[in-house]
Amino acid sequence: MSDLVARTGRHQQRYENGYRLVAGCVPFRYKSSGDDDSSSEKIIEVLMINSPSGPGLLFPKGGWENDETVEEAAVREAIEEAGVRGDLMDCLGCYEFRSKTHQDEFSPEGWCKAAMFALFVKEELQLWPEQNTRNRSWLAVSEALGSLRHEWMRDALERFCKWHEEKFVDGTI
């Protein structure tokens, strides 16, 4: 069992103009394309998790709470849902979507606004809070684009690719 515990409930949840505020990330790493690490090309892989509420894969994300910054919320969600730690990098953008499972008195129609960040993964935890309900999978970007459950997450992944290309001209960190 993990010593880390996932936060639950909505009493600390942030809202703005009828939107539930959410933070998440696109966790990534580099994998060598060949047997020889020194001469092979580095391939970007992104970490995806399953959803207990339906088919398709997701990036870790969840409610941004009143006692944390948006960056802290994104890091917390990566640990809770995907069991990874690393360096939180730039914000990739904000994405609006409608949640069918998270409608409440402050957002009766379930509208959410998610700030998504790039997260360079440095550690995969053996134990993490949601490991009993989440499986994680490392996928090449092309495979991830076809596996994502939500269109807005595809948009975030496409933005991640543009960001990575602009930020890391030589291909890696």
Side-chain angles (χ1 to χ4, degrees):
M1 184 55 135
S2 173
D3 288 341
L4 301 168
V5 178
R7 291 184 174 196
T8 58
R10 292 285 168 85
H11 59 283
Q12 291 283 347
Q13 176 63 57
R14 287 182 190 242
Y15 293 87
E16 180 180 89
N17 299 324
Y19 285 83
R20 176 176 174 249
L21 300 182
V22 171
C25 63
V26 177
F28 73 101
R29 70 178 183 188
Y30 300 105
K31 183 177 179 183
S32 297
S33 62
D35 295 331
D36 180 12
D37 232 19
S38 61
S39 64
S40 62
E41 181 184 342
K42 300 287 186 195
I43 297 169
I44 301 170
E45 290 185 320
V46 293
L47 184 66
M48 311 288 301
I49 56 173
N50 70 310
S51 169
S53 66
L57 296 176
L58 311 169
F59 292 120
K61 58 111 182 97
W64 172 15
E65 299 188 356
N66 289 323
D67 64 345
E68 60 190 354
T69 66
V70 67
E71 294 85 359
E72 289 168 339
V75 167
R76 177 179 51 76
E77 289 297 333
I79 293 168
E80 287 180 2
E81 293 189 349
V84 292
R85 288 189 175 120
D87 294 336
L88 193 69
M89 304 185 87
D90 297 334
C91 183
L92 302 170
C94 292
Y95 302 86
E96 294 179 5
F97 65 96
R98 191 170 176 187
S99 172
K100 293 180 182 150
T101 58
H102 292 294
Q103 298 169 344
D104 58 30
E105 65 182 296
F106 301 107
S107 181
E109 296 183 22
W111 285 107
C112 299
K113 189 181 296 183
M116 295 294 287
F117 295 84
L119 177 79
F120 179 54
V121 175
K122 293 189 165 182
E123 179 184 11
E124 284 185 67
L125 304 173
Q126 296 303 309
L127 301 172
W128 71 94
E130 296 186 20
Q131 71 184 51
N132 292 331
T133 57
R134 305 268 188 193
N135 295 314
R136 55 188 179 194
S137 304
W138 286 102
L139 302 175
V141 170
S142 59
E143 191 179 359
L145 281 167
S147 302
L148 279 159
R149 181 176 180 178
H150 302 296
E151 185 65 35
W152 74 268
M153 286 194 176
R154 274 190 283 286
D155 293 344
L157 182 53
E158 287 170 356
R159 177 64 192 115
F160 165 82
C161 292
K162 289 177 187 163
W163 167 84
H164 188 275
E165 188 176 302
E166 293 167 3
K167 184 119 177 151
F168 306 105
V169 178
D170 68 349
T172 60
I173 293 177

